[in-house]
Amino acid sequence: MLPRLVRSPFIPLVMFVGLIGFVFTVAEDARAQSSLVFFAALLLAAVFLLWVILVLQHNKKHPRQKVSLNSLLPPELREMDEGERWITFNACRNVYIYYTFALPISTSFCILFPDFPYLALSLIGVLGVGQYIVYWLTIRKLNQY
């Protein structure tokens, strides 16, 4: 259970959505919402600290399958054998296909609706969440075989 949780794309997804929410909160009138900004920062720090604790616990229990805390490679990209490399290849391919359609659509929204100041930031959040969903659904589908 612990290796699946540490390598799951949902923890980075929660941190990403939390960061987008934090940026939205700070972008509003920060003086009027100082307690909300503090709560958002505290929640984001708590999720990050929980992830670090889980990774350290995983590394202690599974010394041959360590997850690096300072690696640029996401922990969900486990490529230990050819089968996992094939699954990762297909998942990344599907995410690439997703971006081929999603980027022009989101650019069109930014061009068509220039009066909405947070539209671009919202679309970045939607693109990131969509990427994790496409990746996770592909991994899940291919792991069933």
Side-chain angles (χ1 to χ4, degrees):
M1 174 75 181
L2 185 61
R4 286 184 64 185
L5 183 65
V6 169
R7 294 184 189 281
S8 167
F10 287 113
I11 292 179
L13 175 66
V14 168
M15 287 193 286
F16 178 73
V17 170
L19 184 63
I20 294 292
F22 179 72
V23 168
F24 272 133
T25 306
V26 171
E28 295 294 321
D29 186 16
R31 292 181 190 154
Q33 301 176 355
S34 61
S35 61
L36 187 59
V37 170
F38 177 73
F39 178 72
L42 190 65
L43 187 64
L44 191 60
V47 169
F48 180 72
L49 184 64
L50 176 69
W51 184 76
V52 168
I53 290 170
L54 288 174
V55 167
L56 292 175
Q57 187 179 9
H58 171 269
N59 289 346
K60 196 178 286 188
K61 284 186 177 181
H62 306 282
R64 300 181 115 198
Q65 299 175 355
K66 288 188 175 187
V67 174
S68 176
L69 286 172
N70 58 357
S71 173
L72 294 177
L73 186 66
E76 61 260 24
L77 295 180
R78 272 190 18 192
E79 297 182 338
M80 298 169 62
D81 62 8
E82 291 81 18
E84 288 178 346
R85 285 186 182 155
W86 182 80
I87 290 173
T88 302
F89 163 76
N90 281 317
C92 291
R93 180 181 178 274
N94 287 346
V95 169
Y96 184 80
I97 292 169
Y98 160 76
Y99 272 121
T100 337
F101 292 104
L103 285 175
I105 291 171
S106 61
T107 305
S108 301
F109 275 117
C110 287
I111 292 170
L112 291 174
F113 303 108
D115 297 333
F116 296 105
Y118 298 121
L119 181 65
L121 188 59
S122 300
L123 288 174
I124 290 172
V126 168
L127 288 173
V129 169
Q131 169 187 330
Y132 279 115
I133 290 172
V134 168
Y135 182 85
W136 178 74
L137 287 175
T138 306
I139 292 289
R140 187 172 162 212
K141 181 180 114 181
L142 293 174
N143 276 333
Q144 290 178 355
Y145 291 114

